Amino acid sequence: MAMRQSKLRAVSARPWLLLLCLALAATAGVMQARAQPNSIGFISIDCGFPGTTSYVDDATTLPYAPDAAFTDAGENHNVSSEHVTPELPRIYRDVRSFVDGARNCYTLPSTLAVGLNKYLFRAAFMYGNYDGLNRPPVFDLYIGVNLWKTVNLSSSDPAAPVIAEAIVVVPDDFVQVCLVNTGTGTPFISGLELRPLKNSIYPQVNATQGLVLQSRRNFGPTDMTDIIR
Ligand SMILES: *[C@@H]1O[C@H](CO)[C@@H](O)[C@H](O)[C@H]1NC(C)=O
Ligand SMILES: *[C@@H]1O[C@H](CO)[C@@H](O)[C@H](O)[C@H]1NC(C)=O
Ligand SMILES: *[C@@H]1O[C@H](CO)[C@@H](O)[C@H](O)[C@H]1NC(C)=O
């Protein structure tokens, strides 16, 4: 599925809009100073994880950062204990939910500086009845101004993660991932990952179009629970 990629339209902007863009860029600069991608440009965030210290995930051995440095909205919740098993990856044990506001965003640094601007974005959602309402929501997910996916958790098992993936070119030195309330429940998120890709792979993806994951299949699995990364 094609997805439009857009740049900040500063060229034709009136001075106030330009100012707004500059202010946004300045904010992103501050974020970047606080939360740098690691040496290979990976960004791995455990949304809703409290504190300021990263931890190393057992399964992937990658460090996951708490999300407070990437967003100034929302609140942390643990998922309901009935949905927590010893095998449940840590990113799914807590969520950040956004009760207030129609649109809430994470601002992420990009690795444009080292010449890589094509990314795999992965966002993960596990409801786990974190709010005790037993009402999984439906909401929209955006990369910048482009609709990425309608996250519809209403028909899934509350303990079943839903994962969204997209590959897009990021034209700026920061990018926003936004959750939009569509009047069908409170948006929340469990985890967010960015992986820079070499420009030569997925040549279909360029500055004007991206790819959105339809499904990920494991042909000839040796273990049905394998996650292919
Ligand atoms: C969430 O769970 C962690 C680990 O069990 C616990 O330390 C923390 O206090 C819990 N947070 C809330 C808000 O209940
Ligand atoms: C969410 O998915 C369910 C089941 O597929 C469907 O019935 C419902 O209309 C969807 N909700 C929205 C808002 O798209
Ligand atoms: C991106 O690829 C599409 C399809 O191949 C093409 O039409 C479009 O012009 C390309 N955009 C850029 C900026 O190269």
Side-chain angles (χ1 to χ4, degrees), residues 137-140 150-156 182 184:
V138 184
F139 53 90
D140 284 345
T150 294
V151 180
N152 185 343
L153 300 157
S154 71
S155 58
S156 51
T182 51
T184 41

Side-chain angles (χ1 to χ4, degrees), residues 101-104 138-142 178-183 185 187:
R103 180 185 183 92
N104 287 285
V138 184
F139 53 90
D140 284 345
L141 185 65
Y142 282 77
C178 302
L179 291 83
V180 172
N181 190 321
T182 51

Side-chain angles (χ1 to χ4, degrees), residues 65-102:
D67 63 349
F70 302 93
T71 184
D72 52 12
E75 52 192 39
N76 298 349
H77 291 277
N78 285 336
V79 301
S80 169
S81 57
E82 77 201 90
H83 298 299
V84 177
T85 59
E87 304 78 45
L88 186 68
R90 279 177 78 170
I91 63 159
Y92 294 120
R93 295 176 185 222
D94 42 44
V95 303
R96 182 176 291 265
S97 73
F98 300 94
V99 179
D100 297 319

Side-chain angles (χ1 to χ4, degrees), residues 50-64:
T52 53
T53 318
S54 298
Y55 65 83
V56 174
D57 178 65
D58 293 339
T60 60
T61 69
L62 292 171
Y64 278 73

